[in-house]
């Protein structure tokens, strides 16, 4: 006996709808696609579909020499260009067994923290915008402009700085730059209470984010989530403290790792804000230390043709969005045989598979925005 169902009507309770959010959609950051299976207003399943922006940076690394790969590496997370460059040169320097001058170490630490604030200020302004609050984004761009000016003065670039070099930095700091940087840090710090009052003090913002999108620590560990998102779920790990690099080993009395336990959207925003405050303090500490150092070189003299010895190494950094890893394999040539990039956003976004099911469609935008990712950092 064969049964055939001709039709059950559009109002059947068990009917699921597949909804594609993106890859170009006002609710998504760039070209990210979310494939959602909906049961009414509730999400039953979610799948992030990536690759629409893939530029093949890892393959291009193999066709560039060790000086040229820096220009490729600083672009995947376009809000964290200095930090991206840093990871690559640290990996090459480790492969070469190269010591970097002390002045370059402290300058790198300073610029990495200024870059961290620039990254966080973008999300501190854009996240409330996604929830309907337009005012904070104007404040955040004003503060970003203060720091962008000093970063542009020292490097010549506004977004893609190209200031790191294998063995140190491109050049020393301009005359009087430290004073201008200190003024910019003080100006930004004096206005940071805007986010405490205007954003965190807003009952609508708190209503949209508190208890929404709670990410369990077990999911953080399972998917390799890192950075502010992981620390908002109580996973107390920060590479700057737990495996110090650059000058962070000497900044432990200033470095403060901000954590929360709730793991919701509100906690992720609070961690980001707390980190921005602390990065300003770290920048001041670096400026103090640089003022004490005698004049000296900021780079090592390199041979005309730079070749890394045969072997493999791994370097990782605490980037603004989380852990970035660089696995470098060399065959003794002037180009990398393989340079595998582990980007923070790629791992972080995978956790949406576990987090979105069971939540309302209306909360999806709030959850997505609180993951603080850059699409280029996913499609590297």
């Amino acid at each position: 006996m064969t049964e055939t169902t001709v039709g059950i009507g559009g109002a059947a309770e068990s009917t699921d709808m597949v909804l594609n959010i993106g890859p170009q959609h006002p609710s998504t950051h760039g070209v990210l696609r979310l494939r959602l299976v909906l049961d009414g207003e509730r999400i039953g399943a979610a799948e992030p579909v990536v690759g629409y922006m893939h530029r093949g940076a890892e393959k291009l690394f193999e066709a560039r020499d060790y000086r040229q790969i820096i220009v490729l590496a600083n672009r995947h997370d376009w809000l964290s260009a200095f930090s991206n460059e840093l990871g690559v040169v640290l990996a090459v320097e480790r492969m070469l067994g190269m010591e970097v001058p002390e002045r370059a170490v402290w300058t790198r630490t300073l610029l990495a923290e200024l870059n961290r604030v620039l990254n966080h200020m973008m999300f501190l302004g854009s996240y409330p915008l996604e929830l309907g609050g337009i005012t904070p984004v104007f404040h955040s761009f004003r503060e970003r402009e203060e720091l962008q000016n000093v970063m542009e003065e020292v490097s010549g670039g506004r977004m893609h700085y190209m200031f790191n070099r294998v063995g140190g930095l491109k050049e020393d700091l301009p005359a009087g730059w430290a004073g201008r940087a200190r003024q910019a840090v003080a100006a930004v710090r004096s206005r940071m209470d805007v986010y405490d009052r205007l954003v965190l003090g807003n009952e609508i913002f708190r209503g949209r984010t508190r208890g929404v999108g709670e990410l369990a620590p077990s999911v953080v560990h399972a998917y390799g989530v890192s950075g502010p998102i992981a620390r908002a779920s109580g996973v107390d790990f920060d590479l700057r403290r737990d495996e110090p690099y650059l000058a962070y080993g000497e900044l432990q009395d200033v470095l403060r790792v901000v954590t929360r336990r709730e793991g919701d959207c509100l906690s992720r925003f609070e961690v980001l804000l707390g980190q921005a405050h602390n990065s300003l303090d770290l920048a001041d500490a670096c400026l103090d230390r640089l003022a004490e150092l005698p004049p000296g070189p900021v780079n090592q003299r390199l041979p005309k043709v730079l070749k890394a010895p045969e072997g493999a190494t791994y370097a990782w950094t605490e980037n603004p969005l989380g852990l970035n890893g660089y696995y470098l394999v060399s065959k003794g040539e002037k180009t990398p045989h393989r340079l595998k990039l582990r980007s923070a956003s790629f791992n972080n976004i995978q956790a949406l598979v576990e987090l979105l099911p069971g939540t309302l469609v209306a909360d999806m935008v709030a959850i997505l925005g609180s993951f603080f990712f850059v699409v280029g950092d996913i499609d590297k």
Side-chain angles (χ1 to χ4, degrees), residues 102-103 106-107 109-111 114 173 177-179 181-183 185-186 189 247 250-251 253-254 279-294:
E102 186 180 14
R103 190 168 184 81
W106 281 96
T107 305
T109 310
L110 165 63
L111 297 178
L114 291 178
L173 302 174
W177 180 88
R182 199 181 291 276
Q183 290 174 1
V185 169
R189 182 188 285 110
E250 300 181 48
L251 291 169
D253 56 335
V254 183
S279 289
L280 293 172
D281 295 338
L282 288 167
D284 269 339
C286 291
L287 286 166
D288 292 340
R289 182 71 174 114
L290 281 168
E292 298 170 359
L293 291 177

Side-chain angles (χ1 to χ4, degrees), residues 108-296:
R108 281 177 172 180
T109 310
L110 165 63
L111 297 178
E113 290 306 313
L114 291 178
N115 195 197
R116 193 181 309 274
V117 180
L118 279 170
N119 177 290
H120 291 355
M121 293 306 300
M122 174 62 78
F123 290 109
L124 291 173
S126 67
Y127 185 44
L129 179 65
E130 291 163 5
L131 299 181
I134 192 172
T135 308
V137 75
F138 295 115
H139 288 279
S140 70
F141 268 85
R142 179 184 61 186
E143 318 316 339
R144 276 175 54 83
E145 198 65 26
E146 294 270 6
L147 298 177
Q148 286 279 27
N149 287 339
V150 295
M151 293 292 283
E152 182 179 10
E153 182 186 355
V154 75
S155 67
R158 284 186 63 81
M159 288 187 70
H160 306 305
Y161 305 110
M162 278 302 295
F163 197 58
N164 278 289
R165 295 291 186 273
V166 176
L169 296 167
K170 175 185 173 186
E171 56 196 6
D172 205 348
L173 302 174
W177 180 88
R180 291 186 289 276
R182 199 181 291 276
Q183 290 174 1
V185 169
V188 172
R189 182 188 285 110
S190 69
R191 296 192 288 258
M192 286 295 286
D193 67 320
V194 165
Y195 303 95
D196 293 309
R197 296 182 290 104
L198 189 65
V199 182
L200 290 179
N202 186 288
E203 59 182 274
I204 299 175
F205 179 82
R206 298 184 77 88
R208 288 291 307 276
T209 57
R210 176 179 283 171
V212 175
E214 295 182 359
L215 185 65
S218 59
V219 177
V220 170
H221 292 301
Y223 284 86
V225 176
S226 60
I229 302 172
R231 290 190 283 273
S233 296
V235 179
D236 188 6
F237 180 78
D238 190 310
L239 204 59
R240 298 173 296 172
R241 178 197 65 195
D242 301 322
E243 193 175 315
Y245 59 100
L246 293 182
Y248 290 114
E250 300 181 48
L251 291 169
Q252 296 302 304
D253 56 335
V254 183
L255 177 62
R256 182 171 61 90
V257 179
V258 183
T259 60
R260 292 291 186 274
R261 289 287 176 189
E262 296 80 5
D264 56 6
C265 295
L266 181 60
S267 298
R268 291 190 277 274
F269 186 87
E270 288 176 340
V271 168
L272 205 71
L273 180 57
Q275 284 192 178
H277 278 287
N278 187 237
S279 289
L280 293 172
D281 295 338
L282 288 167
D284 269 339
C286 291
L287 286 166
D288 292 340
R289 182 71 174 114
L290 281 168
E292 298 170 359
L293 291 177

Side-chain angles (χ1 to χ4, degrees), residues 29-42:
H29 301 244
V31 283
L32 173 72
R33 174 183 164 207
L34 284 177
R35 185 180 181 274
L36 306 178
V37 179
L38 305 181
D39 182 5
E41 286 293 313
R42 200 164 292 277

Side-chain angles (χ1 to χ4, degrees), residues 213 215 229 268 348-349 351-352 355 366-373:
L215 185 65
I229 302 172
R268 291 190 277 274
N348 291 354
I349 207 68
L352 291 173
L355 187 58
I367 295 170
L368 191 64
S370 73
F371 263 60
F372 311 131
F373 61 88

